[in-house]
């Protein structure tokens, strides 16, 4: 479903060239859940952002169901409609109610009527367990609730793939569970997911494959059972010793 | 909170006392100079009884006078036996039945209330402010976005515009617009005046817009883009509404400035409030009264303007 070929992303910070993503190739099958882990600065977030074009690719290609992001004729907005993204800091639109946060893109991008988009929004809010907050502003919600709204907002566009960029890192510990529960439900329903996260428990329990990144390179790609018990790469071994 | 909130009213009372004291000392100082205050001369500059002269069309005689209260109907019969009916105010009637009239003779006047120069000046100031303000908002929005564009030419052009306009005095710009651009393009003085004000204010609005957009964190645009909105849609639905909320106080200040800056177009002979005031002084000699009055009329526009801005700010703050 997702096909990544020799992806390279270079950052040029005052003459200092950093290869944030260095020649990464992989593919994700439909319904697969990938967890991307690695130390900070390893390029895992940049890799994720390349998957929906928030970062421009320097070379290589990314495609979803044959739609090639790097092809000059590809409409990047049409491409992004297929890919939902959840951010570390939720990035809800603070000037809109929760309901409007979910309806905006449906109405503007998918051209749905207000009634249709609202019905969809309410169903999704029900699903993530915050239907009663539909008319609140995001600032009135806890972090965990905000992140669940953000997940619902992305789902409202009916994406083929969901990307999660450290979705629980900005949360108070007691709220991590409610967000992970929503993600687990999604995974069980067969959603194709790529998650950058530090939640090793989630990786172990839900992931089909774990990708380990360091210095922009994809060093290890294995099933969670194998990755956590017998990591092959020495840097992965060192990383696991620190976090487990 | 354990700390009890202290009553505010004694301080407001003190404010009142201070203001009254200042007004009193001003009053005292004014009484020391030899100036005759004539506030009673002011009302005629707001509204007055305009007189319209009623004239005979032809040579003839007054055939009849019929009084209807304060008005009198005059019937004229010309030598060719053509009748003309005229209505004049009774107290201005200068004829009796049988009098001869010549063509163009004034038989009397009718009077009606008319708006005085200060009212016309106020209206002119209002429409110039509104027209220039609306234009400035459009210019400022476009220029502000150009300043943030990824296209170097758009960025350069908008920067040149902003720097040129901010670096030269508005008065000089108005002269240039009227005497140079106005002559070249054959513009009316009103057009030149409004254009100069709009371009001047637009440059400041552009900087306000730019600052506002930059203050919205990058993640907002990214979230919008990740949902499939294009750049313009993300700007319109997500970034600009948040930016607008933040820059509202600065924008309100800019538009209040604009209202006051319209006084400068009096130099190209547009009779707005300030010029009306100057003209009123030449006929009334009540310099002090007129200027106080003109100042009060500017306040009459600007105080509601800041009130509206404050209200809008409070309404937008709901989502905080």
């Amino acid at each position: 479903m997702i096909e990544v070929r020799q992806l390279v992303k270079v950052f040029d910070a005052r003459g200092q060239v950093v290869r944030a993503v260095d020649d990464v190739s992989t593919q994700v099958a439909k319904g697969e859940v990938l967890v991307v882990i690695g130390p900070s600065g390893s390029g895992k977030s940049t890799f994720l952002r390349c998957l929906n074009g928030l970062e421009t690719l320097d070379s290589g290609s990314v495609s979803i169901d044959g739609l090639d992001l790097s092809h000059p004729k590809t409409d990047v907005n049409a491409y992004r409609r297929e890919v939902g993204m959840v951010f570390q800091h939720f990035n809800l639109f603070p000037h809109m109610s929760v309901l409007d946060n979910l309806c905006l893109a449906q109405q503007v991008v998918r051209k749905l009527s207000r009634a249709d988009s609202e019905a969809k929004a309410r169903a999704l809010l029900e699903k993530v367990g915050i239907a009663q907050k539909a008319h609140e502003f995001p600032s009135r919600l806890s972090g965990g609730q905000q992140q669940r709204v953000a997940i619902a907002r992305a789902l409202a566009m009916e994406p083929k793939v969901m990307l999660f960029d450290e979705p629980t890192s900005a949360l108070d510990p007691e709220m991590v569970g409610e967000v992970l529960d929503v993600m687990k439900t999604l995974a069980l329903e067969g959603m194709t997911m790529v998650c950058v996260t530090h939640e090793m428990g989630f990786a172990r329990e839900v992931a089909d494959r774990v990708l380990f990144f360091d210095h922009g390179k994809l060093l290890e790609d294995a099933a969670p059972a194998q990755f956590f018990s017998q990591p092959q790469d020495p840097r992965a071994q060192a990383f696991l010793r620190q976090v487990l | 909170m354990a700390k009890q909130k202290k009553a505010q009213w004694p301080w407001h009372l003190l404010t009142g006392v201070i203001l009254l004291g200042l007004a009193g000392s001003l009053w005292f100082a004014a009484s020391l100079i030899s100036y005759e205050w004539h506030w009673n001369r002011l009302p005629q500059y707001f509204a007055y009884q305009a007189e319209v002269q009623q004239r005979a069309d032809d040579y003839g005689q007054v055939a009849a006078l019929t009084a209807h209260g304060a008005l009198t109907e005059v019937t004229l019969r010309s030598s060719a036996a053509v009748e003309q009916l005229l209505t004049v105010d009774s107290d201005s009637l200068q004829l009796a039945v049988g009098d001869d009239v010549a063509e163009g003779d004034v038989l009397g006047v009718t009077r009606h209330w008319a708006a005085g120069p200060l009212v016309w000046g106020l209206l002119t100031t209002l429409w110039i402010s509104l027209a220039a303000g609306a234009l400035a908002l459009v210019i400022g929005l476009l220029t502000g976005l150009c300043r943030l564009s990824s296209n170097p030419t758009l960025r350069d052009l908008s920067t040149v515009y902003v720097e040129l306009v901010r670096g030269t005095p508005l008065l000089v710009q108005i002269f240039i617009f009227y005497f140079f651009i106005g002559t070249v393009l054959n513009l009316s003085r009103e057009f030149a005046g409004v254009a100069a004000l709009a371009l001047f204010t637009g440059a400041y609005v552009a900087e306000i817009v730019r600052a506002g957009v930059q203050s919205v964190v990058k993640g907002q645009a990214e979230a919008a883009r990740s949902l499939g909105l294009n750049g313009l849609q993300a700007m319109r639905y997500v970034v600009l509404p948040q930016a607008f909320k933040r820059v509202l106080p600065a924008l309100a200040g800019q538009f209040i400035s604009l209202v006051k800056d319209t006084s400068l177009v009096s130099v190209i002979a547009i009779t707005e409030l300030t010029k009306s005031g100057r003209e009123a002084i030449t006929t009334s000699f009540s310099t002090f009264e007129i200027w106080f009055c003109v100042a009060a009329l500017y306040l009459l526009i600007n105080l509601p303007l800041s009130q509206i801005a404050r209200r809008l700010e409070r309404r937008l703050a709901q989502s905080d």
Side-chain angles (χ1 to χ4, degrees):
Chain A
M1 175 167 224
I2 309 181
E3 180 86 46
V4 181
R5 274 202 212 112
Q6 294 169 327
L7 175 62
V8 176
K9 174 67 191 176
V10 179
F11 286 121
D12 189 350
R14 291 197 194 86
Q16 217 178 9
V17 176
V18 179
R19 293 173 82 83
V21 179
D22 195 356
D23 195 19
V24 171
S25 298
T26 188
Q27 59 293 121
V28 189
K30 187 167 163 45
E32 218 175 4
V33 176
L34 254 66
V35 166
V36 182
I37 61 176
S40 64
S42 59
K44 54 192 192 302
S45 275
T46 309
F47 168 72
L48 195 75
R49 290 161 59 85
C50 284
L51 293 187
N52 79 341
L54 280 182
E55 303 289 350
T56 52
L57 317 181
D58 286 310
S59 74
S61 72
V62 174
S63 63
I64 288 184
D65 276 351
L67 192 62
D68 189 348
L69 180 63
S70 46
H71 195 281
K73 281 200 176 144
T74 301
D75 175 6
V76 69
N77 300 311
Y79 177 96
R80 286 192 182 121
R81 242 169 280 167
E82 312 290 338
V83 187
M85 176 118 179
V86 175
F87 298 85
Q88 182 178 356
H89 296 287
F90 332 132
N91 298 8
L92 292 180
F93 307 135
H95 59 299
M96 296 180 184
S97 69
V98 163
L99 198 63
D100 288 340
N101 262 278
L102 268 70
C103 288
L104 176 70
Q106 295 189 68
Q107 288 179 258
V108 173
V109 180
R110 294 180 63 201
K111 312 281 181 213
L112 293 184
S113 72
R114 175 72 196 181
D116 288 349
S117 52
E118 214 176 294
K120 174 104 197 157
R122 286 186 188 280
L124 282 166
L125 287 176
E126 190 75 48
K127 179 179 169 151
V128 297
I130 27 182
Q132 75 283 6
K133 301 279 187 188
H135 294 287
E136 298 277 0
F137 282 108
S139 55
R140 301 264 188 279
L141 272 56
S142 72
Q145 290 172 328
Q146 288 193 47
Q147 194 60 298
R148 284 186 280 152
V149 171
I151 294 173
R153 180 176 69 177
L155 289 174
M157 295 300 284
E158 297 179 353
K160 292 177 182 165
V161 183
M162 285 284 283
L163 308 178
F164 293 84
D165 188 3
E166 305 198 22
T168 56
S169 299
L171 294 177
D172 289 338
E174 75 269 22
M175 292 170 183
V176 170
E178 60 192 66
V179 171
L180 289 181
D181 284 344
V182 172
M183 292 169 65
K184 277 175 206 165
T185 313
L186 268 185
L188 287 176
E189 286 171 1
M191 175 61 77
T192 311
M193 292 164 56
V194 182
C195 317
V196 171
T197 184
H198 296 295
E199 296 297 327
M200 297 304 153
F202 177 81
R204 210 174 255 157
E205 192 182 334
V206 183
D208 295 307
R209 281 157 59 204
V210 175
L211 307 189
F212 177 78
F213 273 70
D214 197 15
H215 291 109
K217 287 203 180 291
L218 172 56
L219 296 177
E220 191 135 355
D221 178 353
Q226 194 198 340
F227 176 79
F228 286 108
S229 55
Q230 298 157 318
Q232 304 296 308
D233 190 272
R235 272 183 278 182
Q237 292 163 0
F239 177 76
L240 284 177
R241 270 200 301 279
Q242 279 171 338
V243 298
L244 292 180
Chain B
M1 283 244 293
K3 200 174 147 191
Q4 210 176 353
K5 204 177 172 215
K6 276 187 189 157
Q8 298 275 307
W9 67 266
W11 296 103
H12 291 310
L13 193 69
L14 181 62
T15 313
V17 169
I18 291 172
L19 286 178
L20 275 179
L22 281 173
S25 41
L26 204 65
W27 185 264
F28 176 70
S31 69
L32 294 181
I33 55 170
S34 61
Y35 182 83
E36 298 257 345
W37 294 85
H38 291 293
W39 289 102
N40 58 340
R41 285 182 189 160
L42 273 186
Q44 56 175 315
Y45 293 100
F46 285 93
Y48 64 98
Q49 288 261 290
E51 294 191 340
V52 180
Q53 292 180 327
Q54 302 293 333
R55 293 168 188 272
D57 282 350
D58 204 349
Y59 292 92
Q61 270 191 334
V62 177
L65 294 174
T66 330
H68 299 290
L71 296 174
T72 302
E73 200 175 68
V74 183
T75 314
L76 297 177
R77 186 168 299 130
S78 71
S79 40
V82 179
E83 289 206 346
Q84 184 192 1
L85 277 178
L86 283 169
T87 307
V88 300
D89 281 11
S90 303
D91 60 350
S92 70
L93 188 65
Q94 293 161 3
L95 296 158
V97 176
D99 283 358
D100 289 328
V101 294
E103 183 186 348
D105 276 2
V106 176
L107 308 183
V109 298
T110 52
R111 301 187 183 93
H112 62 268
W113 284 101
L118 286 182
V119 170
W120 284 115
L122 183 68
L123 289 176
T124 308
T125 290
L126 266 178
W127 85 254
I128 288 180
S129 305
L130 276 176
L135 275 174
L137 203 58
V138 175
I139 294 172
L141 186 59
L142 291 179
T143 312
L145 294 180
C146 283
R147 292 269 277 168
L148 297 166
S149 167
S150 53
N151 181 316
T153 305
L154 286 180
R155 234 166 32 223
D156 291 349
L157 284 176
S158 51
T159 308
V160 167
Y161 159 64
V162 168
E163 292 304 331
L164 278 185
V165 168
R166 289 201 311 176
T168 49
L170 175 56
L171 190 57
V172 175
Q173 289 170 19
I174 290 172
F175 282 132
I176 290 176
F177 248 87
Y178 181 55
F179 289 112
F180 175 64
I181 301 176
T183 309
V184 173
L185 300 177
N186 200 15
L187 304 177
S188 72
R189 66 181 79 247
E190 282 82 10
F191 193 100
V194 168
L197 284 168
L199 280 177
F200 178 80
T201 308
Y204 287 89
V205 172
E207 285 301 274
I208 294 174
V209 168
R210 182 177 65 86
V213 168
Q214 280 178 329
S215 78
V216 178
V217 291
K218 224 174 104 204
Q220 286 292 312
E222 283 183 352
R225 297 306 299 274
S226 80
L227 288 166
L229 276 73
N230 64 34
L232 270 178
Q233 291 166 335
M235 193 51 96
R236 177 175 158 203
Y237 294 105
V238 175
V239 178
L240 281 181
Q242 296 180 54
F244 176 71
K245 182 173 139 184
R246 277 176 219 182
V247 301
L248 189 63
L251 270 184
Q254 200 58 53
F255 285 112
I256 286 169
S257 274
L258 170 65
V259 172
K260 296 180 292 178
D261 288 343
T262 56
S263 66
L264 289 175
V265 298
S266 61
V267 297
I268 55 171
I270 296 175
T271 314
E272 42 61 72
L273 188 50
T274 299
K275 186 154 184 289
S276 303
R278 269 211 320 254
E279 284 171 2
I281 287 165
T282 58
T283 53
S284 69
F285 303 107
S286 301
T287 317
F288 295 179
E289 294 90 327
I290 298 273
W291 283 131
F292 277 122
C293 181
V294 165
L297 287 173
Y298 278 109
L299 277 176
L300 191 69
I301 304 176
N302 280 338
L303 290 183
L305 207 55
S306 31
Q307 189 60 36
I308 291 169
R310 242 196 310 274
R311 248 186 227 179
L312 201 56
E313 218 178 308
R314 218 173 303 151
R315 224 184 65 191
L316 291 175
Q318 277 177 348
S319 61
D320 288 340

